[in-house]
Amino acid sequence: FLPQTEEDYIPYPSVHEVLGRTGSLPLILLPQFGGYWIEGTNHDLGSSSTAEEPPPCPASQVKLETNSIAKIYRKHFLGKEHFNYYSVDSTLGHLVFSVKYDVIGDQEHLRLLLRSRFKTYHDVIPISCLTEFPNVVQMMKLVCEEVNVDRFYPILYPKASRLIVTFDEHVINNNFKFGVIYQKFAQTSEEELFGNNEESPAFVEFLEFLGEKIELHDFKGFRGGLDVTHGQTGIESVYHNFHNKEIMFHVSTKLPYTEGDSQQLQRKRHIGNDIVAIVFQEENTPFVPDMIASNFLHAYVVVQVENACTDNVLYKVSVTARDDVPFFGPALPDPAVFKKNPEFHEFLLTKLINAEYSCYKAEKFAKLKERTRFALLETLYEELHMNSQSMMGLGGDDDKLENGGGGGGGFFESFKIRLHTAACGWKTALVLLVRAVHTVRQNKHFTSQQTQAHIYYTKRIT
């Protein structure tokens, strides 16, 4: 099997060819050689004056994606009697295992939670289904048959639960940043999109619909990488708290404009490092995903307005994402047309957040997250092993935390960067994390305080 080249594809028509046509044009046009998928291509409500209204969005279908396994340890184990163990498997890597006896209804159960380099396994096993009470290795095989270890070691460190819950919840994100790009009629290049300075009444109306206009100076919420001290990223932005998730929008027209810079790098530096962006259209000009050169932007939600600034504002919506991004809900209705109302606001923000979660599964981000999980789990294992040994008075001086381990809890406690931080995108955080872990491993005598200083410095330079 030979990989296909551009010569093997039948190219899609270019945006300039399509613009030369008469009649209604699509919101999104695929790049000439593909690489993206599209959702929402029908926006026809009928041509008569009594055209039907767009169907309402069923609330039951508008659902935010969540990582339920990441919250299990806090919900069922933390602060309750349970046991933690650690070991190493030749295939699954470092293992950290939590076991809890549970009574659910009137039946006894074992709640099992196993962390490996690839994923976290969770199961609840009725004890009545077991012929005999299992040992730890047998429990492990109940939740993951691939485990191949002879023994597990008990974790004896009093602060272990704090370290474990930090690891489990590093994938939970309540802060999001999305780009908002204004596309005027016949604009077909990145330079034209980022060169827009004026906001039309229709665009202002849409921004007010998205969220609240805030002044950046001294803003106390999630800032999404924007400068809230010196005004170097503009004076104002758009922000919204959505079900306790903070969203900062990088609005192209509100980011600094630089005279003489055709690329407008100040604007692209923020929007080009987002993962998901909205493209707002006032008139009929297709958006092509490869108009914007970015390694990070993986999905776009394109919104085109009709009847702007009236009592009957309608928004047509199409979605496009790179081929390796799985489909994400909520699904667009057919036709993909919405009335301007709270239901559409809920739908749109849910779609944006779910889009980002889905983009994490794309090859580029999935590999980065896998490497980071491996580094975090290895560090957790080493912390738990070293402190458990110290609690029993075992190991040499080099293996003991200074001051008997009573400091900040070592690397994990001092490392406050999670996969998503207010200071930078999660992609940057992952890279910095791997570098920090590597630095710690290269220096066996790196103390808890030195680690904390290193991480603080790493955060500051970003």
Side-chain angles (χ1 to χ4, degrees), residues 182 184 195-200 203 253 267:
Y182 182 27
K184 293 182 179 180
N196 291 325
N197 264 338
E198 296 181 1
E199 298 175 352
S200 69
F203 188 44
T253 53
R267 293 176 169 182

Side-chain angles (χ1 to χ4, degrees), residues 231 272 364 449:
K364 179 184 183 69
Q449 282 77 4

Side-chain angles (χ1 to χ4, degrees), residues 100-115:
K100 180 174 179 285
Y101 169 81
D102 253 344
V103 177
I104 303 174
D106 58 352
Q107 200 169 20
E108 298 175 307
H109 293 76
L110 288 175
R111 186 177 294 275
L112 309 174
L113 193 62
L114 172 64
R115 304 154 191 87

Side-chain angles (χ1 to χ4, degrees), residues 247-265:
I247 302 174
M248 179 63 78
F249 293 97
H250 291 155
V251 183
S252 60
T253 53
K254 295 187 182 299
L255 292 167
Y257 178 83
T258 306
E259 290 287 349
D261 180 8
S262 61
Q263 291 184 298
Q264 293 302 318
L265 294 178

Side-chain angles (χ1 to χ4, degrees), residues 23-35:
S24 180
L25 302 180
L27 275 65
I28 297 172
L29 196 65
L30 287 176
Q32 282 198 282
F33 296 100

